[in-house]
Amino acid sequence: MSTADRGELALLVPGGRGQLGRELQRRAKGVAGLVHAPGSAELDIRDAQDVSDEVDSFAEAARDNNLRPVVLNAAAHTAVDAAEGEPELAAAINVDGAAALARACARRRVPLVHLSTDYVFDGTATVPYEPTDPTGPRAVYGRTKLAGEQEVLAAAERAWVVRTAWVYGAGGANFVKTMVRLAGERDTVTVVDDQIGAPTWTGDLADGLLELAGLLAARRDPAQRVLHCTNGGRASWFEFARAVFAEIGADPERVLPCTTADFPRPAPRPGYSVLSPRAWAEAGLSPLRDWRSSLADAFVQDGPALRGEA
Ligand SMILES: NC(=O)c1ccc[n+]([C@@H]2O[C@H](COP(=O)([O-])OP(=O)(O)OC[C@H]3O[C@@H](n4cnc5c(N)ncnc54)[C@H](OP(=O)(O)O)[C@@H]3O)[C@@H](O)[C@H]2O)c1
């Protein structure tokens, strides 16, 4: 597969202080000629004028340095339960902010990769979701993310939506860190066993997104504009928790199963949200490895951060 030499890439990563944004920045630094990853204090995507100015100056910096610009949008309102109580804020970021970014990218002819989520699905499937399958978000977060996808695709011809799921990594709060902490605090931990998905490490996801950015920079555009990118395989949260316990040398039997009904949350979650990698592979992109292999590697590479020691 031919991609642009990644050294020719210039990357703008809104949401650069988030879990994925940090990892993208970390991995891109070694391979891209220019990386700018502003946090929300530096670039608030709700401010359309600031977004436009930021994309302008990024595109000009890329041009001046003879680099090929790509925007990877990692900014989002991701607090799934909090979104139920603040739908306007979630929409301002996930819909209007995403749309402003797409319009600015379209105006400067800069390709955009916009991150989205498995929560756009209702979770009633029993086989992995294809990007073309009907959506049916069950909560504010998923509804705003879906509306954001639609705005982005309508606003920019060279925009791609990448849905991912169950993300964990060194930066930010996540399920793995929570399980490590609870393993140290409690004798037993009860975790839901009836929600199925694919745990996805930011390290592998960032590498996949950088591969996609390389394709776009080389104008080898994927024909499908909605893609799915998660680690391979499937697990329940309970199985995932047991695997985390095993990684840190804790007894997995200390993790006990329960049902979603035992743990009501403000926002309903999809019961099944495994995402098919078929379109990703058809675009010539490398499917991510199985989640268990990633989890082991995550503890090798990001152990101190995942264990709360860094
Ligand atoms: N985490 C998951 O399990 C998961 C699953 C599926 C899909 N995704 C998607 O993956 C992407 C990255 O998620 P993540 O896990 O990295 O989430 P995250 O850690 O919450 O990062 C999101 C970032 O967006 C920033 N942000 C919020 N409002 C903003 C605004 N108005 N302007 C600019 N930046 C703003 C936040 O900055 P502040 O903290 O400074 O506000 C935060 O750093 C999102 O599109 C998310 O929907 C995540």
Side-chain angles (χ1 to χ4, degrees), residues 35-144:
V35 184
H36 182 44
S40 62
E42 212 181 326
L43 176 65
D44 185 332
I45 63 169
R46 289 173 297 174
D47 187 327
Q49 188 58 51
D50 275 3
V51 167
S52 175
D53 293 347
E54 184 82 30
V55 172
D56 281 354
S57 59
F58 165 68
E60 275 153 33
R63 190 195 55 203
D64 292 349
N65 290 286
N66 216 9
L67 298 169
R68 302 177 191 208
V70 177
V71 175
L72 298 174
N73 181 28
H77 185 298
T78 59
V80 175
D81 289 323
E84 294 299 300
E86 49 193 29
E88 294 86 6
L89 178 62
I93 298 167
N94 293 345
V95 187
D96 304 338
L101 194 56
R103 283 195 300 274
C105 288
R107 201 167 43 74
R108 294 301 304 232
R109 299 182 193 281
V110 174
L112 168 66
V113 176
H114 174 71
L115 269 297
S116 191
T117 171
D118 54 331
Y119 282 29
V120 299
F121 293 113
D122 68 6
T124 56
T126 51
V127 294
Y129 282 104
E130 297 294 342
T132 46
D133 282 341
T135 49
R138 302 184 57 210
V140 168
Y141 169 68
R143 280 198 287 277
T144 57

Side-chain angles (χ1 to χ4, degrees), residues 223-250:
Q224 283 211 52
R225 293 173 70 211
V226 181
L227 301 168
H228 288 170
C229 183
T230 65
N231 276 122
R234 45 163 280 171
S236 70
W237 289 110
F238 161 73
E239 290 166 326
F240 187 20
R242 282 202 158 180
V244 172
F245 269 55
E247 285 299 332
I248 61 171

